[in-house]
Amino acid sequence: AQSVSQHNHHVILSEAASLELGCNYSYGGTVNLFWYVQYPGQHLQLLLKYFSGDPLVKGIKGFEAEFIKSKFSFNLRKPSVQWSDTAEYFCAVNTYNQGGKLIFGQGTELSVKP
Amino acid sequence: GAGVSQSPSNKVTEKGKDVELRCDPISGHTALYWYRQRLGQGLEFLIYFQGNSAPDKSGLPSDRFSAERTGESVSTLTIQRTQQEDSAVYLCASSLAKKNTEAFFGQGTRLTVV
């Protein structure tokens, strides 16, 4: 069965530090890849997505992610974090060709110190 | 509707009682998902509906859990004989049932079993 693994459970950074959150998935077929964010007290919202084409995708609020097919990875990056980036981040994989089920990783809690 | 709507937003129930959680997807979205998010944990897939296809129930944790969806409209998740370990936020999401589309999430129902 397909699965998604996020390497970091809790990341603590100071403002202006660079961010990289790891995400690996296990599925050999065609995938759609997503990062969702959940700010405190709010619902899940899409940060960015990869369907095809350029493996470096840019999302909202200065976030980007790179799809490396050979590594089954889709890591999230931001050059300089802000206090307002404090949130929980979820990587997700949709294996559309297997019925479209959307599978999430365990999430990474990011705390940014002002 | 404008977004995915879930009701109630909060539910406190006594152990052993049955509960029904409701999800109104975005109009026109034929795919609908239910997830469970326990405190400090990731999103656990429960069930997935896509159009008139048989639902993917592979994530339901026990036979106390069931879900229904009539056509492309409202879905209800029912938990019978609730247990304390059922306490969690139950999230619903919907999407267009086609490739290269993302899921949109509701605010969730916070279920507390006392």
Side-chain angles (χ1 to χ4, degrees):
Chain A
Q2 54 267 34
S3 65
V4 180
S5 175
Q6 292 182 238
H7 314 302
N8 313 100
H9 181 64
H10 191 187
V11 173
I12 302 172
L13 296 173
S14 297
E15 275 195 315
S18 64
L19 170 72
E20 181 159 1
L21 301 182
C23 173
N24 285 88
Y25 64 93
S26 63
Y27 181 69
T30 302
V31 293
N32 294 336
L33 298 157
F34 307 86
W35 277 96
Y36 281 85
V37 60
Q38 188 171 32
Y39 297 103
Q42 297 187 26
H43 65 279
L44 273 164
Q45 54 189 285
L46 184 70
L47 198 56
L48 48 77
K49 60 193 177 189
Y50 172 80
F51 294 145
S52 64
D54 188 345
L56 183 63
V57 293
K58 297 190 183 298
I60 60 172
K61 304 185 180 184
F63 285 91
E64 64 179 33
E66 185 175 12
F67 170 49
I68 303 179
K69 189 175 181 179
S70 61
K71 295 185 178 180
F72 299 90
S73 70
F74 190 56
N75 292 355
L76 181 70
R77 299 194 292 250
K78 185 171 183 178
S80 176
V81 295
Q82 300 173 317
W83 176 79
S84 58
D85 293 325
T86 295
E88 188 142 20
Y89 293 80
F90 294 93
C91 181
V93 172
N94 176 301
T95 55
Y96 184 79
N97 290 342
Q98 293 294 311
K101 192 162 66 179
L102 187 60
I103 302 297
F104 282 81
Q106 287 296 95
T108 298
E109 184 180 348
L110 172 65
S111 299
V112 180
K113 296 182 176 180
Chain B
V4 179
S5 177
Q6 292 187 245
S7 60
S9 54
N10 281 285
K11 176 73 176 178
V12 179
T13 190
E14 292 180 352
K15 179 181 172 181
K17 294 283 179 71
D18 297 352
V19 294
E20 254 189 24
L21 311 180
R22 177 186 169 105
C23 173
D24 279 278
I26 293 172
S27 178
H29 281 193
T30 54
L32 186 147
Y33 311 79
W34 282 99
Y35 294 88
R36 177 169 70 178
Q37 187 177 23
R38 287 180 166 142
L39 189 63
Q41 298 188 23
L43 276 74
E44 178 186 4
F45 168 79
L46 297 178
I47 189 168
Y48 167 55
F49 296 90
Q50 186 184 114
N52 294 320
S53 302
D56 180 344
K57 303 180 181 180
S58 60
L60 294 177
S62 76
D63 59 8
R64 296 187 296 106
F65 288 72
S66 62
E68 292 184 350
R69 187 184 188 195
T70 305
E72 299 178 0
S73 60
V74 170
S75 175
T76 55
L77 176 69
T78 301
I79 308 173
Q80 295 178 310
R81 305 181 302 281
T82 51
Q83 304 294 312
Q84 286 187 329
E85 62 263 28
D86 299 334
S87 295
V89 175
Y90 289 82
L91 292 166
C92 177
S94 72
S95 72
L96 295 170
K98 63 178 186 178
K99 291 181 72 172
N100 302 348
T101 184
E102 69 261 29
F104 296 84
F105 281 81
Q107 291 275 28
T109 294
R110 181 175 299 278
L111 175 67
T112 304
V113 182
V114 298

